[in-house]
Amino acid sequence: MPKERVLITAKTYPTLSRKYGETVCTAGLREDGSWVRIYPVPFRRLNDSEQYRKFDCVEVDLVSSRSDPRPETCHLANYDQLTPVAHFGTTDGWRNRREWVLQRAQVHERLDLLIAGAHANRLSLAVFKPTRIRNFIWEDDDRDWDPAKVSQMREQTKQTELFAEETWRQTFNLIPKLPYTFSYQFEDIAGRKSTLQVLDWECGQLYWNCLKSCRGDEDAALEKVREKYLGYMSGRDLFFFLGTTLQYHGWASNPWVVIGVFAPPIVEQRELALGLF
């Protein structure tokens, strides 16, 4: 199959899989605006030339998933051939990013329609525009990975050819487990109030960076994360990249989570609309 170009829009914080080891769920938009979920990706075990950033454009061979019924989920045909070819920056009012994300993809504003679409298995990824942000919150979570799950995962990966010798045959340190879950509370255009968990890797990494700068003060670090996602984002034109989880996709009352945020600056966007960029 010919390679496809995909703009990477979201990478979730790494999770543990008994079958695949430490993996990242990656989502992006094709050139025609259709969504694709690439899973599993052993991101931290990729070569430097294969590691990708958000808003990198990558060339990939994709194969539809046989184990995941969600319509957008694909596997990489070759795990050693994920090639970044360009990066979309923030110049000219985020012109390139905005054109690919907001003009090619459908932007949703009602969460009930997205929930119905997930239950009917029509979609599991979406661009969503919240009407009002109410809060950004966190809750305590387990501080360590489940030891039994880690042990089972390592045993399973020793027995498979997936990811070849990079799997657990080399010394590999698991990424630290986040001790908190983060969530946005918001309203949609119909006034529906919702709370959705944020699984974006950037959010998790921001917590660790803030914890370091705050010299281990968790309360101060959490407030800094909140300041970014609530205070700073309030001055941006905020969109969510939403995804459903496989476990809850077709039946939960609300199977959606925030897998990434898209926040162009409001001032530059207005100027962009007036043709000043």
Side-chain angles (χ1 to χ4, degrees), residues 117-238:
H119 288 172
N121 201 32
R122 292 193 302 269
L123 77 169
S124 65
L125 293 167
V127 183
F128 178 80
K129 177 65 175 174
T131 299
R132 175 172 173 254
I133 300 297
R134 300 176 56 239
N135 207 350
F136 182 85
I137 63 173
W138 55 84
E139 296 180 281
D140 290 335
D141 199 11
D142 294 335
R143 290 183 169 261
D144 297 298
W145 299 112
D146 181 349
K149 187 173 182 179
V150 173
S151 178
Q152 288 180 331
M153 178 188 64
R154 291 186 184 276
E155 287 302 316
Q156 175 68 20
T157 52
K158 287 178 183 177
Q159 301 170 17
T160 180
E161 294 301 316
L162 188 66
F163 310 145
E165 48 287 334
E166 273 135 320
T167 315
W168 301 98
R169 301 174 188 178
Q170 299 178 2
T171 300
F172 183 80
N173 293 320
L174 291 175
I175 197 166
K177 171 76 169 58
L178 283 171
Y180 300 94
T181 61
F182 299 96
S183 301
Y184 263 120
Q185 295 180 328
F186 63 93
E187 295 179 17
D188 70 1
I189 198 169
R192 179 185 178 124
K193 296 179 181 178
S194 301
T195 300
L196 295 189
Q197 188 174 347
V198 179
L199 301 184
D200 189 359
W201 193 341
E202 288 185 349
C203 184
Q205 189 57 51
L206 177 63
Y207 169 75
W208 295 122
N209 293 344
C210 291
L211 186 65
K212 183 177 180 180
S213 67
C214 294
R215 299 182 179 181
D217 186 333
E218 293 191 8
D219 291 337
L222 291 166
E223 286 298 333
K224 281 185 174 292
V225 175
R226 187 173 188 270
E227 179 183 340
K228 171 67 180 290
Y229 278 84
L230 188 62
Y232 173 78
M233 293 298 183
S234 68
R236 316 288 288 190
D237 189 24
L238 181 62

Side-chain angles (χ1 to χ4, degrees), residues 1-50:
M1 294 179 60
K3 287 187 176 182
E4 299 184 72
R5 286 206 169 196
V6 176
L7 182 68
I8 302 299
T9 59
K11 294 189 303 181
T12 61
Y13 194 83
T15 57
L16 302 190
S17 165
R18 291 183 176 91
K19 183 176 181 180
Y20 298 120
E22 184 193 282
T23 65
V24 170
C25 182
T26 299
L29 290 163
R30 297 183 178 93
E31 291 180 285
D32 64 1
S34 63
W35 278 99
V36 61
R37 174 188 292 103
I38 306 173
Y39 182 85
V41 177
F43 182 81
R44 294 200 306 136
R45 300 198 296 277
L46 295 176
N47 297 327
D48 290 344
S49 62
E50 297 168 336

Side-chain angles (χ1 to χ4, degrees), residues 3-6 57-61 76 81-86:
K3 287 187 176 182
E4 299 184 72
R5 286 206 169 196
V6 176
C57 189
V58 300
E59 288 188 347
V60 288
D61 289 324
L76 292 168
Q81 294 181 3
L82 196 160
T83 309
V85 295

